[in-house]
C-alpha cells in the first residue's frame, strides 16, 4: 500500500483521523498491470496476472490449489483507509497499482469514511478498481478524474449508506483488455 490510515480502535466512540489531505503524489507499482488478465503480459513477463490474485487456482485434475486466492498478498492499493473523515485526495497520479483508492471499513460505524473528496487525479494501468468506496461510503464525491487502462471505473461492492457522487470523470480503454 502506498498510503494507509486506519482507526486506532473499533470500540465506540471510534477515534477517526480527520481533515486528511493526500495531494501531488505519484504512486507507481511496476509489476502488477498486465494487458491480459489471465497470464503475465508478453511485453513484461514479470507481471502478476489478475487471475493469480483474485481467482482460486486449479490443478490439472481440477482440484483447488492451496488456499483461496493464492496471490492475494500482491493486491496493492495506492491509498487504503479504514477510518478517516473529511479526506481529500487530489492532484495525484496512480500508475500500475492493482487498486487505486479503497476504503474497507469492516465493522467500524457508518461514519468511518464520511465526506471523502477525490478529484483531479490520473489513474492509469489499474488492474482492478480505481475507486472502491466499500462499506458506509457516506458522501463520497468523485469528480474530474482521468482513468485509462483500468479494469473497472467504480466498484461499490457494496455501499451500505451512501450517497456516492460520481460525475465529470473521463475514462478511456476500460475492461479486461483495454
Amino acid at each position: 500500500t502506498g498510503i494507509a490510515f486506519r482507526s486506532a480502535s473499533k470500540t465506540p466512540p471510534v477515534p477517526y483521523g480527520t481533515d486528511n489531505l493526500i495531494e501531488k503524489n505519484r504512486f507507481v507499482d511496476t509489476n502488477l498491470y498486465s494487458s491480459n488478465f489471465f497470464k503475465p503480459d508478453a511485453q513484461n513477463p514479470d507481471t502478476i496476472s489478475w487471475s493469480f490474485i483474485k481467482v482460486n487456482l486449479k490443478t490439472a485434475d481440477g482440484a483447488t490449489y492451496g488456499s483461496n486466492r493464492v496471490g492475494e498478498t500482491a493486491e496493492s492499493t495506492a491509498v487504503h483507509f479504514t477510518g478517516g473523515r473529511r479526506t481529500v485526495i487530489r492532484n495525484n497520479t496512480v500508475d500500475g497499482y492493482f487498486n487505486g483508492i479503497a476504503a474497507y471499513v469492516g465493522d467500524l460505524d457508518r461514519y468511518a469514511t464520511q465526506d471523502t473528496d477525490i478529484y483531479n487525479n490520473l489513474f492509469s494501468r489499474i488492474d482492478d478498481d480505481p475507486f472502491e468506496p466499500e462499506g458506509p461510503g457516506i458522501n463520497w464525491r468523485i469528480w474530474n478524474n482521468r482513468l485509462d487502462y483500468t479494469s473497472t471505473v467504480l466498484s461499490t461492492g457494496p455501499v451500505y449508506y451512501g450517497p456516492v457522487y460520481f460525475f465529470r470523470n473521463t475514462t478511456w480503454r476500460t475492461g479486461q483488455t483495454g
Side-chain angles (χ1 to χ4, degrees):
T1 299
I3 294 177
F5 48 100
R6 294 171 172 76
S7 175
S9 170
K10 292 183 180 182
T11 306
V14 178
Y16 297 118
T18 58
D19 301 316
N20 305 296
L21 174 62
I22 300 170
E23 179 179 42
K24 297 179 183 173
N25 297 285
R26 184 168 183 245
F27 301 92
V28 178
D29 192 330
T30 58
N31 286 326
L32 288 174
Y33 181 77
S34 174
S35 61
N36 185 325
F37 276 29
F38 303 104
K39 62 184 180 179
D41 196 313
Q43 295 176 344
N44 185 1
D46 296 330
T47 58
I48 301 169
S49 68
W50 182 92
S51 60
F52 180 73
I53 295 171
K54 286 289 201 177
V55 177
N56 295 334
L57 300 178
K58 303 285 184 186
T59 61
D61 64 359
T64 299
Y65 175 79
S67 63
N68 184 9
R69 295 179 57 195
V70 174
E72 183 175 19
T73 58
E75 187 171 346
S76 67
T77 303
V79 178
H80 178 265
F81 59 109
T82 56
R85 297 174 69 188
R86 296 191 311 263
T87 297
V88 174
I89 303 168
R90 66 183 179 208
N91 303 317
N92 298 287
T93 297
V94 178
D95 183 9
Y97 271 79
F98 196 77
N99 296 302
I101 299 169
Y104 306 111
V105 179
D107 56 355
L108 296 176
D109 70 30
R110 66 188 287 173
Y111 304 104
T113 63
Q114 181 180 0
D115 296 324
T116 298
D117 291 319
I118 304 168
Y119 61 96
N120 293 344
N121 299 287
L122 168 62
F123 295 86
S124 182
R125 301 180 310 140
I126 306 296
D127 239 1
D128 202 31
D129 306 314
F131 307 107
E132 288 186 273
E134 295 183 0
I138 294 175
N139 288 331
W140 273 52
R141 296 166 295 259
I142 304 168
W143 77 96
N144 203 36
N145 296 286
R146 183 175 145 210
L147 300 89
D148 52 90
Y149 293 101
T150 63
S151 170
T152 65
V153 175
L154 173 66
S155 174
T156 59
V159 172
Y160 300 126
Y161 299 101
V164 172
Y165 302 95
F166 189 84
F167 57 98
R168 294 190 187 132
N169 296 285
T170 304
T171 184
W172 182 67
R173 296 206 175 184
T174 301
Q176 290 185 353
T177 60

